Structures are given as structure tokens and as C-alpha cells.
Amino acid sequence: MNTSDKTILQVQDISKTYATVRAVDDLSFEVYAGEIFGLLGPNGAGKTTTIRMALDIIKPDAGQIAVLGGPMTEAKKERIGYLPEERGLYDDMTLTDTLLFLGQLKGLSRTEAQRRVEGQLKEVELWEARERKVEALSRGMRQKAQFVAATMHDPDLIIVDEPFSGLDPVNTRLIKDLIYRMRDRGAGVIMSTHQMHQVEEMCGRILLVNHGKRVLYGPLAEIRQRFSANVVEVGLRGEPVTVPGVEQITAVENGSYRLLLEEGVPPEEVLQALVHAPELVVERFEHVETSLDEIFIRVVGRSIEEEGSLEEDQAVPAGGVRI
Amino acid sequence: MKKTWLIARTTYRERLRSGMFLILTFGIPLLMIGAGVIGFLAASPDDGELPETIGYVDETGELAPTERVTLSEELLDLDAELTFTSYPTREAAEAAYLNGEIGGYLVIPAGYFSGAAVTYFTDAEAGAVVEEGLKQFLQRSLLPDRPEWVFARLEDPANYTYVGQASGEALSEGPGLIIRIAAPAFLAMVFVLAVLFGTSQMGTAIIQEKEQRAMEMVITSIRPLELVAGKVMGLTLLSLTQFAIWTVGGIVALFLAFSDQLSLEELVVPWEALIWGALLIIPGYFLYAILAAGLGIIAGDSQQAQQLAGIMSFLGLAPIYILAAILGNPDGPLSVGLSLFPLTSPSVILLRTTFAGVPTWQMVAALAILLATLALAVLLVTRIFRAAMLNYGKALRPREIWRAIVQA
């Protein structure tokens, strides 16, 4: 595999099957140093399996993974941070002891781990709770503690799975700033989340997987632009029922509608159709940028529809004939 | 290795701090001592009330025709003498008793020599002191005019010295001999207890790692084998601490109990048996610990892990259940078979060495089988571990276990 200096994770044609379920299907992508990369997909799409393969927790059935310039080694594990979706720390241990233990597992000396634990606990406002047992911490406190555990060793690649779940807006801002800081010092951050507005705000590039397959991949701005090309928002007097060249009409607010154009239909053609419709008066007609939320629903929804139609196609009754 | 040691240290420290360690280490011996004391108190008869005079009726006509026998204070080890007075008939003895002349009366029936029971009539409490007095009286009545040393020998007929025919090793009776026999038996018991507590703790430690969801973070830093090895080392150190406390306590108790009889020269340490015991116990314990870790990772929750550990502990305890069969025929096929079976070989070989020699080939074969099984267990458990470690809340099914073993 050829990896550029900037590439810290290169995944090439990996697949993984559990019994009869193909969790990851011929998936390829790259993550670069100094970026926040969004790993998106509906529940059960294969995101966690992909992350676990990247971390060498499980082996792919096929394909190759290069981490920090080559195959995973024990030394490289110390340059990786991971905040798993399944949150967990040692309930019976104090917060400090837990973090010291996890920091030393990542190769820090005890003295260095102590220094960093103190600094980071103060930063995330957990210093006062340092001698408390983990089981006595609130959900938000545990979440922050686990974030510290995943990042205290200054990893070059950090994978965070739903980093903001259970956090209030203040703590969300705190963690977000820490992620930006890691990116700014040159670390590559893979962020898996269902909070699309966070992805829009933070990620430069994204990968959307569904049923283990790559559905969307690339710079977020380009993807949004591509999906925005056939979406217009119009201000109308009157209610549009059907418009030639329009696939879907969604009422946004009073007198405002979002139109999804059929593929290949230029917006000017739709404007003309609206202007010439006798019962409608066009007050406003503008291009809008599609939100990632909409893109997600459209892409994943289409994929589900396709799957449904495929299943229907395949469901030929015995002795029946498909026309 | 550094990370394995870190896991071991952390496991040891956290378990040592837990209340469960204190309960197991100090609570169990206290419970055993308490049970022993209660048992002793329940079993030991009341000393009873010793009368000054006891009447007796000899219906055999064969006992020495003594009208009065007085047992001295020294003989009874009491601050009082005891006098026995002869009566010709039960009625005479009964009348004397009712007049308050005697504290009770003994009727020695005609069939005494063929086993008929002697009857002691009294309304006072008859305890061990009275019984001892009756015994001394009967012995002296059966063997009249004999010097006291005869009765001393009757009480304790001989001091034995045991000499090994082949080794020529001479062992005097008493604490020295007890230690010769007890040391391997003690080691066997240590092994069984270590298995009992160790497997349970190991399974729990692993399932907790899984239940608390800490596993996924930890295994991005170390290999599964390092995690298991660290846990095994930590818990082994914990068991060693526990047994060191028990052993020191046991030795102190032994010296206190036998301080007047035990001299260091008399101590006969069975080095060969102990060295072989150590050689078998160490890999034997690790085998149980690795298997317990495997069962812990397969289990879906703590309860299931405990149940599976219980099955393992049963195997460890099996030699104790069939101790009589092993010691009854230490060279029989059952004993030899269990001596070679890796899960029972350490305890069975140690138990056999207490009473009989175990051929060297059997010990060498047992050690070789044990080491091979341990290596195989490490390999299999590591493979299963990878497949099961993130299987939260679900036990691994047999088919999944098989797939993990063959696909890894």
C-alpha cells in the first residue's frame, strides 16, 4: 500500500463477515493527519466493526489496513487513543488510580502520567473528584474522565465514538475544544457520531457507510454542494401540489417550500414552470445548501428503499413468474 | 512484560484493598477456629461431680477381693482421692447409697468378661472424671498387685520409631513424624484451596473487566495474552499472600501447641516430596487460572462466571472427595490415572507421597502432561479471548467457541 506522509490510516478493500452477516463489505478510505474525519452511518452500518479492525482488535477477513505508515504494532498502540462507544472504566478504583493505570498502559511513566492526570483533570474540571471512586461519578463526569483516558498520552491518531453523548452544552464545548486542539497539533481524529450538526461544524471530510459499504466519501463541503445542486427553496403564494421536474416538495414554514429536483433538471426550468402556474405567485426562489442531516436521510433512506425493492424482486413465489 | 507487570500490580493492589480479601483471609480461619471450638465444647463431656466414695458389686466373683481401693490425687490428676468400697449385693449397695454413705455404686455383672455392660447407679452428674476413676479402678481390680509402671504402659504401650526399609530414614513418633506426613498433605490442601479461591476470583476478575466495559480500552494498549497473564500473576500473588498469612499462622499455632515436644532436630522435612509438589503445583495453579480466565471470558455475566468456576473447582476438589480410595490403594489404577490427569495430578501426587512412594516416572510424566496442557490452554484461551472479549452481556455459544479456535 502506498501511503502519503499525511496519511495516518489507510483502509483498503476490507471486509468482515459474522456468521451470515456481512458487517463490512469491501470498504476503503483514508484519514489524514491534522483533520477531523467523520465516520457516519445508521445503527448497524458497520462503523464499530471498521473501527475495531483499524485498531487491530478484530482481524478483517480480507483487505489491508495501514496505521501510522504500516501494519499495527505494539509500539503503535501507544500512539493511538480510543474512546469506544461502550463506555467503561473500573468502578471500584478511584478516578486518579484509573487514569494513572490507563496512562501507564499507553506507555507513560508513572511520574509523567501523574503530571498529565493532574493537568487534564483540572482542564476538564474533574480535579475535585480525583479521589472519588469511578462508580460515584455522574454520567457526564465519567464521559469526560474517559475522554481524558483516551487522550492523555497525546496520540497521533484518535478515534472517538459519540464523544458528546451524555454531555451538557458547556461540557460539549469543552470536549469540542480539546478535539480541535488535538487536530491543530497535527493528530488525525476519527469521529463517529449520529449528531450531524456536530459533523457539519467539525469535520473536514466524511465517510458514510451503510450495510458495511461506502455510500459517501470525501470532503464535506463538496458532498454538500453536490447534494445542494438539485435543491431550491421557494416562497410562494398558493400551494404547489405537483410541479414538473420536481421529485419532492416539503413545506418548510408558512409559504416556504423546499423542492428536490429530479436528476438532470435545471433549476431555471422549474422556476419557469412555477412562474407559469396560474394559481401560484413566486415571491422568492433561491438555492439552499442541503444539511448533512437531509443528505444522510436521503442516502440511507434510498439505500433502504433499494434494499426493499431488491427484496421484493427476489421474493418470487414458487411457480410464479416475474414480468 | 512491563505492561503485564503493571496489570498484575494493579490487580493485586486493588484486590488487596477490597473488603472481600480481608473477609476471605481472616474470616475463614476465624470461622474454622470458631467451628472447632464450638465442636470441642459440644463434644467434650462435662467433667461431672466426683464423689468421695463409690460402691461396687462384683457379680463375677473373679475380680480381686479388695474391700477398699483408694485412687490417689496424683493418679486422678485431681485435688481429691476416690475410694471404692465393696458390697456383696446390689441391694446392700443401694441401701448404702440411699443412706448417703456412697455417691454411687457400680455393678459389674456376671457376664462382664464376655462383654456385658457395667452399670453405674447415681443421681449425681457423672462425667469424664467419674469415668476415668472407674477405668483406673477396673484396671487395678483386673491386675491386682502390679506396680504402677504396668498401668502407665497400658495407657501408652510404646514409643515407635519408623524406619524406611529402602531409605533407612528413621522417624520418631511425635511432631517430627506428623510434619513428615503433614507437609505434603498441607501442600495438597493449599493447592486445592488455591484452586477453589483462585478460579473463582479469576473468572470474576475477567468478567468484571468485560461487564465494566473497560476491556475495549485496555485491549487497544496490550495483547489479550498480556492482559490474561497480568491478571493471573496479580491473583497468584494475592493467593500467595493469603496462604503466607495462613501458613505463618499455622506454624505459629503448631509451635504453640507442641512447644514442649518439638525441637528443630526432630523436624524431618520431606524435601523431595516438597520440591516435586512445588514443580507440579505452580503450573497446576496456572492451568486452573488460565482455564478460569477462559471461562470468565466465555460467560455472559458474573453469575454465569461463578457457576462455570464452580465446575472447575469441583475438579480441583475431586481428589479430596475420593481421598479414601486414593490412600486406600495409592498405587492402584485410579490413583495412577488421577496422578497423570493434569487437573488432579498436583494434589493426588502430594497426597500419595504422604503414605507411600510415587515412582519417579509418574511424577516426570505428570509434569510433562501438565506443562503441555498449560501451553495448549494458553493458546486456546487467547484465541477465544479475542472472539469473546467484546461480546457484552452474552455468553459465547459452543459453535462460536469452536469458530474462534479454528479461525484465529
Side-chain angles (χ1 to χ4, degrees), chain B residues 23 41 55 92 95 171 190 221 226 232 298-299 307 327 337 351 353 357 359 386:
Chain B
I23 292 170
L41 291 176
L171 299 167
V190 163
S221 306
E226 286 177 307
V232 169
I298 286 170
Q307 286 167 350
L327 297 183
L351 287 171
T353 58
R386 200 176 257 279

Side-chain angles (χ1 to χ4, degrees), chain A residues 55 57 72 74 76-78 80-82 106, chain B residues 215-222:
Chain A
L55 290 168
I57 295 172
M72 178 68 89
E74 290 308 304
K76 281 181 185 172
K77 286 182 178 177
E78 294 179 358
I80 297 171
Y82 179 38
K106 283 293 180 191
Chain B
M215 182 81 84
E216 197 158 356
M217 282 195 90
V218 172
I219 49 153
T220 55
S221 306
I222 51 166

Side-chain angles (χ1 to χ4, degrees), chain A residues 298-316:
Chain A
R298 272 165 62 185
V299 172
V300 172
R302 190 195 304 153
S303 160
I304 290 167
E305 277 171 23
E306 279 168 7
E307 189 184 292
S309 65
L310 188 69
E311 280 172 5
E312 279 170 24
D313 289 348
Q314 287 168 341
V316 181

